[in-house]
Amino acid sequence: MTLSVISAGFGRTGTMSLKLALEQLGLGPCHHMIEVIGNGAVQVPLWNDALAGKPDFCAIYDGYNSAVDWPSAAFWKELAEAYPDAKIILSTRSAESWYDSISETILATVWAPEKWPPQAVDWFRMVTKVLERSFGEAKDKDAIIAAFHAHEAAVKAAIPAERLLVHSAKDGWEPLCAFLGVPVPQTPYPRTNSKEEFFEHMKKADDL
């Protein structure tokens, strides 16, 4: 199995909804940070190797047909080159609403090391490095939003238009299915991973 769809969008841009959508369209299993949390003993060392410049994408994505969310989004350029036949999706939302969401969820947990459960420290350290890879030195709101805009501009500049779909969850099924060449489901587009759901997922990190 090889990756046929890769999302370059940062976390909190509708990535969990996109994961569920791709799996409903038959393009799963779809890799997402939730898989790293659920299989930390295998995934965290692999991502640490990738962050150290020694990625083994075959091992990371063994059994997966698509990938969204971090850590994948931090390696979008390498993945686009490693899987040249894969279609690229840039999941997105307004920068302001994205910052509001990420500051209350991911940043509120990852950037508070004094609250990390001891058994999840390795995962949190890895995620910290992933965020640094995506944001650089940005820490305040303006700098993080600037990093978000720079990331999206870089993706749009690097990926040919025919290979790229810029997609927001509010766009729903139609543009996604047209891009992937699959029929539009009769069910509503998935809407999930609210702030409350995020913290429910985070509880699983306590068991790493």
Side-chain angles (χ1 to χ4, degrees), residues 4-159:
S4 59
V5 182
I6 300 162
S7 176
F10 285 166
R12 309 308 296 172
T13 59
T15 53
M16 179 61 82
S17 296
L18 181 58
K19 165 186 164 64
L20 297 177
L22 291 173
E23 290 178 340
Q24 188 172 336
L25 294 173
L27 294 165
C30 181
H31 191 281
H32 180 283
M33 183 65 85
I34 197 70
E35 271 70 39
V36 183
I37 292 175
N39 191 21
V42 173
Q43 285 276 315
V44 170
L46 287 170
W47 283 110
N48 279 330
D49 286 345
L51 288 159
K54 300 174 290 184
D56 185 348
F57 293 136
C58 289
I60 288 172
Y61 298 112
D62 182 32
Y64 292 96
N65 193 34
S66 52
V68 304
D69 198 51
W70 280 310
S72 300
F75 291 85
W76 66 271
K77 189 175 293 184
E78 292 88 343
L79 291 172
E81 293 174 357
Y83 299 94
D85 295 328
K87 294 189 174 184
I88 310 298
I89 299 171
L90 178 60
S91 55
T92 190
R93 65 191 293 184
S94 78
E96 284 285 338
S97 69
W98 169 79
Y99 178 80
D100 289 344
S101 177
I102 194 173
S103 65
E104 295 175 357
T105 53
I106 295 172
L107 302 187
T109 52
V110 176
W111 286 355
E114 70 280 0
K115 299 179 182 178
W116 295 352
Q119 63 272 31
V121 166
D122 287 346
W123 178 81
F124 276 105
R125 285 176 176 163
M126 182 274 291
V127 175
T128 300
K129 294 176 185 176
V130 167
L131 295 180
E132 289 173 353
R133 184 178 173 91
S134 294
F135 297 162
E137 298 298 317
K139 290 289 185 179
D140 61 71
K141 178 178 179 179
D142 288 346
I144 291 171
I145 286 179
F148 177 85
H149 285 309
H151 169 75
E152 293 206 334
V155 173
K156 293 173 184 177
I159 306 299

